[in-house]
């Protein structure tokens, strides 16, 4: 499809389990972002890639969270030893231009992966 | 983390009515954005504002970038049932790559 694709749509994990969430950005988009959206809240920034380089990971809540984009297209967000507080919707967004550009606000979001940790 | 202030949390209006939402911050932003999110979907951009005082329209939507650069307003005129959803404001400073979002306002439209 033409939009940002995320998989799986839903993931249920037992506490302590590792999970991997995938994002396929729009083809040719330079910038890729991960956001975390808790229930009843707005999205909160996790990390930013420009092509394959992870330029900002200041929003990752702990060292259990790891993201990669090795070839500058598909990205994976990995959460190790999941905890209940990790339950949220994880949104991926992509943009045609570099992240610190004034036009970067034209982000295209995927539908998200809803993670539930039991 | 830091979030923009949006209130009330929910708004209920009658179809055909106009509705106004505002968003405030203690920090200055150089770009203000309004997004709409439907259940099970990601946010979709409605309007982007780039300059203090700017007033921009997109169909029945009108948004303004506050003069102080610490607030923004969104107006929806002649509401229709498909306006139902969660409306988020977001700010971009340009100093880094991240958008800061408000908590959102859930809009319900009674037919």
């Amino acid at each position: 499809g033409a939009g940002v694709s995320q998989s799986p749509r839903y993931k249920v994990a037992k506490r302590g389990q590792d999970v991997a969430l995938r994002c396929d950005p729009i083809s040719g988009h330079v910038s890729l972002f991960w956001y975390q959206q808790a229930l009843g809240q707005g999205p909160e920034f996790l990390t930013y890639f420009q092509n394959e380089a992870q330029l900002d990971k200041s929003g990752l809540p702990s060292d259990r969270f790891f993201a990669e984009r090795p070839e500058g297209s598909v990205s994976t967000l990995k959460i190790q030893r999941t905890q209940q507080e990790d339950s949220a919707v994880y949104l991926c967004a992509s943009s045609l231009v570099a992240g610190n550009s004034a036009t970067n606000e034209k982000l295209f979001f995927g539908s998200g992966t809803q993670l539930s940790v039991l | 983390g830091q979030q923009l202030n949006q209130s009330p949390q929910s708004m209920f209006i009658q179809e055909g009515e106009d509705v106004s939402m505002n968003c405030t911050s203690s920090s200055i932003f150089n770009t203000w954005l309004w997004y709409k999110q439907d259940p099970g979907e990601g946010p979709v951009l409605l309007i982007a504002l780039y300059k203090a005082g700017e007033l921009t329209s997109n169909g029945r939507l009108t948004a303004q970038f506050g003069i102080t650069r610490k607030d923004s307003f969104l107006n929806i005129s002649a509401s229709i049932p498909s306006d139902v959803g969660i409306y988020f404001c977001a700010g971009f400073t340009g100093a880094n790559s991240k958008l800061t979002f408000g908590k959102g306002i859930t809009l319900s439209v009674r037919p």
Side-chain angles (χ1 to χ4, degrees), chain A residues 51-100:
Chain A
N51 296 308
E52 69 279 2
Q54 188 175 21
L55 299 187
D56 188 345
K57 53 181 181 179
S58 62
L60 296 177
S62 78
D63 59 8
R64 296 186 295 103
F65 286 70
F66 172 76
E68 59 184 4
R69 194 187 185 197
E71 296 177 1
S73 55
V74 171
S75 177
T76 304
L77 176 66
K78 297 179 180 177
I79 309 173
Q80 297 177 321
R81 304 181 305 281
T82 53
Q83 303 295 313
Q84 283 188 319
E85 62 263 26
D86 300 336
S87 297
V89 175
Y90 290 85
L91 294 165
C92 176
S94 70
S95 172
L96 188 60
V97 297
N100 57 354

Side-chain angles (χ1 to χ4, degrees), chain A:
Chain A
V4 177
S5 178
Q6 292 188 245
S7 61
R9 283 299 308 269
Y10 304 93
K11 176 69 180 177
V12 178
K14 289 184 181 176
R15 191 169 51 185
Q17 191 177 355
D18 297 349
V19 298
L21 313 180
R22 177 187 168 105
C23 173
D24 281 89
I26 294 173
S27 178
H29 276 199
V30 167
S31 295
L32 185 146
F33 300 79
W34 285 96
Y35 281 80
Q36 181 191 56
Q37 186 174 21
L39 188 64
Q41 304 293 317
E44 290 206 19
F45 172 83
L46 292 177
T47 187
Y48 162 61
F49 290 86
Q50 183 174 318
N51 296 308
E52 69 279 2
Q54 188 175 21
L55 299 187
D56 188 345
K57 53 181 181 179
S58 62
L60 296 177
S62 78
D63 59 8
R64 296 186 295 103
F65 286 70
F66 172 76
E68 59 184 4
R69 194 187 185 197
E71 296 177 1
S73 55
V74 171
S75 177
T76 304
L77 176 66
K78 297 179 180 177
I79 309 173
Q80 297 177 321
R81 304 181 305 281
T82 53
Q83 303 295 313
Q84 283 188 319
E85 62 263 26
D86 300 336
S87 297
V89 175
Y90 290 85
L91 294 165
C92 176
S94 70
S95 172
L96 188 60
V97 297
N100 57 354
S101 163
T103 58
N104 178 60
E105 75 286 351
K106 289 184 173 62
L107 294 183
F108 294 86
F109 282 86
S111 298
T113 293
Q114 184 171 330
L115 174 65
S116 299
V117 182
L118 306 178

Side-chain angles (χ1 to χ4, degrees), chain B residues 80-92:
Chain B
I80 59 177
S82 62
D83 291 334
V84 165
I86 306 175
Y87 290 81
F88 291 98
C89 61
F92 183 67

